[in-house]
């Protein structure tokens, strides 16, 4: 066994003159450890370390009695056994933060995983923020442009707010997040921070390559808690990413775009942890603390007098059931919700955004302006009329509709196709060059379609283009 002095050096504590608080493992049940401390009982959320190669990091979750705690391992527990020594660091999990974070990949402990030799130096910050003062929050409302037509027109994202991308498997949540990152980095002087919760290794590699190919890696930070890691790591990696975002907002006074993929996997990791801890599950097998765990993360995302953290979060909808507790709890924290439709994806209308079910609290006349508001409402009204006429068309045919209804259907279908858009991140697969479209170009295009300027134009001319004035006559 190594000496106590060596252990203290490994933990990088600033209390070398104090004897370490040593405990002993009582039991190991999956990722949950019961540990006995004969002298001092560690505080809740304290980080404990079990020496080894690699060392095991445990977070204190409960104090069972005067001498025992129940902890959750954030590392693989293979090789642990009863009686092994455990060292209390006397502090919560802390990560090093500085400008050196940019362009690197990290895990839940703030350690680099990109294979580069240079280490990150800087100040240490706990992954848990305490005593955040409400008066420091910025209550002003402004729009964060994304360059994606359907979002900027119908579901504008709030600067310093939270937007959710809701959809089942395979409807394009991750691709849409990658395009958002690409567009917003090129048009805004800020930091982009991608947090992968329960990501597949393949997805992480693809994300890194795409960001490097787009030439924006120097303004990006990647944090991953991958699918093969313990549930404790997946449940805490979002807090690690948010701490990095808070550093750039509060210390460097910079705006941060925080992209989280996937909030459902964050909830799922919490459910696994709850089961391991022996809690009784609530409805549909979720943890009884689902609401408070989600709020603990979501309420840290906001604007302050120093800068803004704007978050876009992918939310997997299990079995396309929007009444699932994980989905409904997430809804309550969002200022914009973007619903992805499997029906639109099957029709090849990408991004597969359900234009009628998506929305935003920012789509208000005093925020976006009268012209934007009126055009957005007119678009939704026309699409809603078309949706109501679909059953009649399927039974009787388009010819049985009145002239006015046929005109509505014609323009609504053109609006649907105009609000599709080629993405820059998919160019290597489609061969179609994509990029951001300004809000003014989007509003102009919709206004002209509604006015009937393109009634004689084939629908295919409006499919997968950017701005009408720029791209429509280039279509074959």
């Amino acid at each position: 066994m190594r000496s106590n002095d060596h252990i203290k050096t490994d933990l990088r504590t600033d209390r070398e003159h104090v004897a370490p608080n040593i405990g002993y493992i009582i039991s190991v049940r999956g990722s949950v450890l019961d540990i006995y401390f004969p002298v001092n009982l560690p505080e809740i959320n304290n980080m404990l370390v079990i020496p080894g190669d690699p060392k095991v990091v445990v977070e204190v979750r409960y104090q069972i009695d005067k001498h025992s705690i129940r902890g959750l391992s954030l590392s693989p527990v293979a090789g642990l056994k009863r009686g092994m020594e455990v060292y209390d660091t006397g502090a919560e999990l802390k990560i090093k933060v500085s400008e050196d974070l940019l362009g690197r990949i990290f895990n839940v402990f703030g350690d680099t995983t990109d294979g580069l030799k240079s280490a990150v130096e800087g100040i240490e910050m706990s992954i848990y923020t305490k005593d955040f003062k409400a008066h420091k929050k910025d209550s002003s409302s402004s729009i964060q442009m994304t360059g994606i037509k359907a979002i900027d027109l119908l579901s504008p994202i709030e600067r310093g707010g939270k937007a959710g991308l809701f959809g089942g498997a395979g409807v394009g949540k991750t691709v849409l997040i990658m395009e958002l990152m690409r567009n917003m980095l090129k048009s805004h002087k800020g930091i982009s921070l991608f947090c992968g919760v329960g990501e597949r290794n393949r997805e992480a590699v693809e994300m890194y390559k795409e960001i490097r190919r787009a030439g924006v890696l120097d303004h990006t930070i990647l944090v991953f808690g991958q699918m093969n890691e313990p549930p404790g790591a997946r449940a805490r990696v979002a807090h690690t990413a948010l701490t990095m975002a808070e550093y750039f907002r509060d210390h460097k006074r910079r705006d941060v775009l925080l992209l989280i993929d996937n909030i459902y996997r964050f909830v799922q990791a919490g459910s696994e942890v709850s089961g391991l801890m022996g809690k009784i599950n609530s409805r549909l097998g979720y943890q009884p603390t689902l609401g408070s765990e989600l709020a603990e993360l979501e309420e840290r995302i906001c604007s302050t007098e120093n800068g803004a953290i704007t978050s876009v979060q992918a939310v997997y909808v299990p079995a396309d059931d929007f009444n699932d507790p994980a989905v409904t709890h997430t809804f309550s924290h969002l200022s914009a919700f973007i619903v992805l439709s499997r029906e639109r994806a099957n029709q090849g209308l990408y991004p597969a955004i359900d234009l009628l079910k998506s929305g935003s609290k920012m789509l208000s006349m005093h925020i976006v302006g009268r012209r934007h508001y009126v055009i957005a409402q007119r678009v939704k009204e026309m699409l809603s009329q078309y949706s109501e006429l679909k059953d009649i068309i399927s039974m009787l045919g388009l010819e049985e509709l009145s002239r006015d209804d046929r005109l509505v259907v014609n323009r609504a279908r053109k609006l649907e196709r105009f609000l599709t858009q080629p993405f820059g991140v998919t160019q290597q697969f489609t061969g179609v060059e994509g990029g951001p479209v300004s809000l003014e170009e989007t509003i102009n295009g919709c206004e002209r379609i509604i006015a009937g300027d393109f009634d004689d134009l084939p629908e295919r001319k409006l499919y997968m283009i950017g701005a009408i004035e720029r791209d429509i006559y280039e279509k074959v």
Side-chain angles (χ1 to χ4, degrees), residues 130-177:
K130 297 179 180 177
D131 301 325
F132 185 81
K133 302 296 189 297
H135 70 270
K136 291 185 177 180
K137 291 188 177 182
D138 183 3
S139 58
S140 61
S141 297
S142 57
I143 302 297
Q144 182 84 48
M145 294 302 169
T146 67
I148 296 175
K149 293 185 287 188
I151 294 177
D152 289 342
L153 180 69
L154 302 176
S155 307
I157 293 175
E158 178 186 12
R159 177 182 176 270
K162 297 174 278 285
L165 300 180
F166 293 85
V171 294
K173 295 186 298 297
T174 301
V175 172
L176 188 51
I177 274 191

Side-chain angles (χ1 to χ4, degrees), residues 381-398 400-410 412:
E381 180 186 341
M382 194 163 279
L383 291 172
S384 179
Q385 288 178 275
Y386 173 45
S387 179
E388 292 171 0
L389 292 170
K390 280 183 178 178
D391 287 341
I392 298 175
I393 295 170
S394 63
M395 289 187 295
L396 303 177
L398 186 64
E400 297 301 318
L401 297 179
S402 67
R403 181 180 179 279
D404 288 345
D405 283 346
R406 285 201 302 271
L407 201 61
V408 166
V409 170
N410 180 38

Side-chain angles (χ1 to χ4, degrees), residues 33-80:
L33 287 75
D34 287 352
I35 303 170
Y36 175 79
F37 283 86
V39 183
N40 297 318
L41 199 64
E43 298 292 333
I44 301 296
N45 289 338
N46 268 17
M47 184 176 72
L48 314 178
V49 172
I50 305 171
D53 188 19
K55 68 181 180 184
V56 176
V57 177
V58 179
E59 184 180 80
V60 178
R61 298 300 298 269
Y62 301 107
Q63 295 174 338
I64 301 173
D65 53 40
K66 292 182 179 180
H67 293 287
S68 302
I69 65 96
R70 180 159 293 162
L72 177 68
S73 175
L74 307 184
S75 314
V77 296
L80 296 188

Side-chain angles (χ1 to χ4, degrees), residues 53-317:
D53 188 19
K55 68 181 180 184
V56 176
V57 177
V58 179
E59 184 180 80
V60 178
R61 298 300 298 269
Y62 301 107
Q63 295 174 338
I64 301 173
D65 53 40
K66 292 182 179 180
H67 293 287
S68 302
I69 65 96
R70 180 159 293 162
L72 177 68
S73 175
L74 307 184
S75 314
V77 296
L80 296 188
K81 57 185 179 182
R82 294 175 63 184
M84 291 182 71
E85 289 186 343
V86 182
Y87 292 81
D88 177 18
T89 67
E92 298 171 345
L93 175 59
K94 294 182 178 181
I95 60 172
K96 286 190 173 183
V97 288
S98 71
E99 295 273 5
D100 294 342
L101 297 175
L102 296 172
R104 305 296 299 273
I105 305 176
F106 299 90
N107 61 15
V108 66
F109 306 113
D111 297 329
T112 57
T113 59
D114 51 16
L116 302 178
K117 293 183 180 179
S118 57
V120 171
E121 298 296 336
I123 63 173
E124 285 192 336
M125 289 180 63
S126 167
I127 67 169
Y128 302 105
T129 296
K130 297 179 180 177
D131 301 325
F132 185 81
K133 302 296 189 297
H135 70 270
K136 291 185 177 180
K137 291 188 177 182
D138 183 3
S139 58
S140 61
S141 297
S142 57
I143 302 297
Q144 182 84 48
M145 294 302 169
T146 67
I148 296 175
K149 293 185 287 188
I151 294 177
D152 289 342
L153 180 69
L154 302 176
S155 307
I157 293 175
E158 178 186 12
R159 177 182 176 270
K162 297 174 278 285
L165 300 180
F166 293 85
V171 294
K173 295 186 298 297
T174 301
V175 172
L176 188 51
I177 274 191
M178 290 170 67
E179 184 70 9
L180 283 168
M181 180 186 292
R182 184 177 185 272
N183 288 355
M184 294 169 79
L185 270 176
K186 287 189 173 183
S187 57
H188 300 280
K189 295 179 180 178
I191 301 296
S192 181
L193 201 160
F194 180 86
C195 176
V197 183
E199 284 281 282
R200 302 173 184 87
N201 291 347
R202 168 184 58 79
E203 292 173 337
V205 172
E206 288 176 358
M207 175 68 70
Y208 179 74
K209 288 181 177 178
E210 176 56 40
I211 292 170
R212 187 171 59 183
R213 188 184 301 115
V216 293
L217 186 60
D218 291 342
H219 301 281
T220 307
I221 305 166
L222 300 164
V223 186
F224 291 104
Q226 294 179 336
M227 191 174 279
N228 61 326
E229 295 184 31
R234 286 181 273 122
R236 290 291 175 260
V237 70
H239 290 277
T240 297
L242 191 46
T243 301
M244 294 177 179
E246 287 171 338
Y247 166 76
F248 281 98
R249 180 193 65 190
D250 299 334
H251 293 264
K252 295 300 179 180
R253 295 178 175 268
R254 300 182 70 176
D255 286 353
V256 181
L257 172 65
L258 174 63
L259 302 117
I260 303 176
D261 188 6
N262 188 298
I263 282 292
Y264 179 78
R265 295 196 189 117
F266 168 79
V267 172
Q268 204 171 37
S271 179
E272 290 181 52
V273 169
S274 177
L276 289 167
M277 289 290 176
K279 291 183 181 179
I280 298 174
N281 289 336
S282 63
R283 188 163 64 97
L284 296 183
Y286 289 105
Q287 62 272 38
T289 54
L290 168 59
S292 59
E293 287 178 6
L294 198 56
E296 183 184 5
L297 177 73
E298 297 282 7
E299 291 307 303
R300 291 171 62 182
I301 302 172
C302 63
S303 293
T304 70
E305 56 195 14
N306 297 320
I309 299 175
T310 303
S311 177
V312 179
Q313 309 168 10
V315 186
Y316 168 68
V317 181

